[in-house]
Amino acid sequence: MTPRRRSGRDAYRSRTRRLLEWHLAAMLVAALVSMSALLVSYREVQISAGEMRSRGAPAVQGVAATQLALLRAHKEAEASVHSGIADVVGAGARYENQLAAADQGLSRLSDVQIDGDRGRGVLETVNGVLTSYSSSITPGAVKYVSDEPMQTEKFTEAEMLLTRAGTGVVPRLDVLQGHQMARIDTLSSLNPLQWSGWAAAELGLLVLVLITLSALWVLRTRCGHSLDLCLLASLLGVVFLATGPLIATSTTQDRLATARDGLVRIEQQAHDHRDLAASQQAVTDTATRVRAGLAAQGWQSGVYYGALAAGALIVLLPAVGIGRHLNADYWRTG
């Protein structure tokens, strides 16, 4: 073999080796970037679903149920006085039951409310106002049973503490509910940063497919190798990653949107005061449907761990496939 011909062959081998090395490096970078973006983006959606399930939905239901229980308790106290029952049992057993339900609701809200320190401040204020409310309605129902003007004054004071715009218990809970619904909107929709994460993940996977196809072409045309099984398996992993988590995320987002619509209905039902008992039942029924729709699905975690495994494969398989050819044809012989 002449020196010129050998020199040309060596140059061709050198270019092919560098081309394969470039493909390998580009595939590893694309795989790592796309997998990082995909796993973080998918996990964020699942975290949002978990927060909606464990805190968001119970918090919205809790505010609505507490408001209705307080309003119904006041109506029951008035009814017991007007019917003459108060002479014997004060504000009445129904009043006591509804007030107990409201107290339990406020206690649960302190654990699940999703408005942070601001929400805790609202609940502390509400508890203080409710103490004043009890100080007004109890004398009206017990002490001033025979003094109608004073009884009317005490009941009016109590009602103002519940419903007065801006400072009453119900309006304060409305403010808390508004903040919580804003948080619900955030949890149930993808923000621009999350959209960017998914776009980066899908774009990275597309680039990875193109580089893998190019590497297969180089191996076949420049190296004389048939289709590499490692690279073909890697392509299958990329297809799964590009579709599986995206479909799972779309399904989760649909469930979150449905839950948000249900929570909006709960907020509306809490403002329907024509029949408080019916509104309470409507809130309970809607909340049950919302919880059922948000119930954790085992396949969600399965998709995440499946994506994690597939991600490891699309990093390892190209390294094995191309690395084997480089080692056999170029590195060992170079």
Side-chain angles (χ1 to χ4, degrees):
M1 183 180 295
T2 64
R4 180 180 297 178
R5 186 172 179 181
R6 180 167 183 170
S7 177
R9 182 184 177 188
D10 289 344
Y12 182 83
R13 283 171 54 82
S14 179
R15 287 195 301 270
T16 302
R17 186 197 68 203
R18 288 197 299 270
L19 191 58
L20 287 175
E21 290 171 343
W22 181 89
H23 276 80
L24 177 58
M27 290 172 72
L28 292 178
V29 171
L32 290 172
V33 170
S34 59
M35 278 308 304
S36 298
L38 185 146
L39 289 174
V40 170
S41 299
Y42 183 79
R43 197 62 175 170
E44 283 295 316
V45 172
Q46 300 311 313
I47 289 173
S48 294
E51 184 175 351
M52 179 83 94
R53 178 172 57 252
S54 62
R55 297 189 59 192
V60 172
Q61 179 195 3
V63 169
T66 300
Q67 288 176 313
L68 290 171
L70 287 171
L71 291 171
R72 188 176 173 190
H74 187 78
K75 292 295 183 183
E76 295 293 353
E78 288 181 331
S80 68
V81 169
H82 294 154
S83 64
I85 299 176
D87 295 345
V88 180
V89 293
R94 292 181 178 177
Y95 162 81
E96 296 291 347
N97 290 338
Q98 293 299 319
L99 192 62
D103 286 339
Q104 291 175 359
L106 288 172
S107 178
R108 288 193 296 268
L109 272 175
S110 64
D111 296 326
V112 300
Q113 62 86 20
I114 54 174
D115 195 29
D117 291 338
R118 183 171 55 185
R120 281 189 287 273
V122 170
L123 292 177
E124 289 174 2
T125 302
V126 163
N127 281 315
V129 177
L130 281 179
T131 300
S132 299
Y133 170 80
S134 297
S135 299
S136 294
I137 200 169
T138 300
V142 180
K143 183 177 180 180
Y144 298 111
V145 172
S146 301
D147 189 344
E148 186 173 344
M150 283 298 296
Q151 186 180 67
T152 300
E153 180 181 342
K154 288 297 182 181
F155 268 84
T156 301
E157 287 178 1
E159 185 173 9
M160 292 293 288
L161 288 169
L162 277 185
T163 62
R164 183 165 49 200
T167 59
V169 171
V170 173
R172 287 180 186 276
L173 290 175
D174 274 335
V175 172
L176 172 59
Q177 191 75 301
H179 294 157
Q180 292 193 144
M181 290 305 298
R183 177 61 179 163
I184 292 297
D185 286 338
T186 300
L187 290 173
S188 59
S189 58
L190 293 177
N191 59 43
L193 185 60
Q194 289 173 316
W195 277 113
S196 299
W198 276 108
E202 294 296 323
L203 181 60
L205 292 172
L206 176 60
V207 169
L208 184 56
V209 167
L210 295 176
I211 297 173
T212 303
L213 292 174
S214 177
L216 286 168
W217 181 83
V218 169
L219 287 172
R220 186 174 182 83
T221 59
R222 298 178 69 99
C223 304
H225 294 293
S226 59
L227 295 177
D228 185 88
L229 293 179
C230 287
L231 294 184
L232 291 176
S234 176
L235 277 177
L236 292 177
V238 172
V239 171
F240 166 75
L241 288 170
T243 56
L246 194 59
I247 292 172
T249 295
S250 177
T251 301
T252 300
Q253 285 300 133
D254 288 342
R255 294 170 66 226
L256 288 175
T258 301
R260 179 193 60 215
D261 293 341
L263 296 176
V264 169
R265 284 196 297 275
I266 286 176
E267 185 184 24
Q268 294 169 345
Q269 289 161 350
H271 290 92
D272 184 0
H273 301 160
R274 292 170 297 179
D275 186 339
L276 293 172
S279 295
Q280 286 178 307
Q281 187 60 50
V283 165
T284 299
D285 293 342
T286 305
T288 300
R289 290 192 294 271
V290 169
R291 286 196 301 271
L294 287 172
Q297 303 292 320
W299 58 263
Q300 292 173 324
S301 295
V303 170
Y304 178 79
Y305 291 113
L308 194 61
L313 289 177
I314 68 171
V315 172
L316 294 175
L317 288 175
V320 172
I322 297 180
R324 183 176 67 246
H325 295 299
L326 281 170
N327 186 59
D329 298 340
Y330 299 101
W331 292 339
R332 184 183 299 175
T333 59

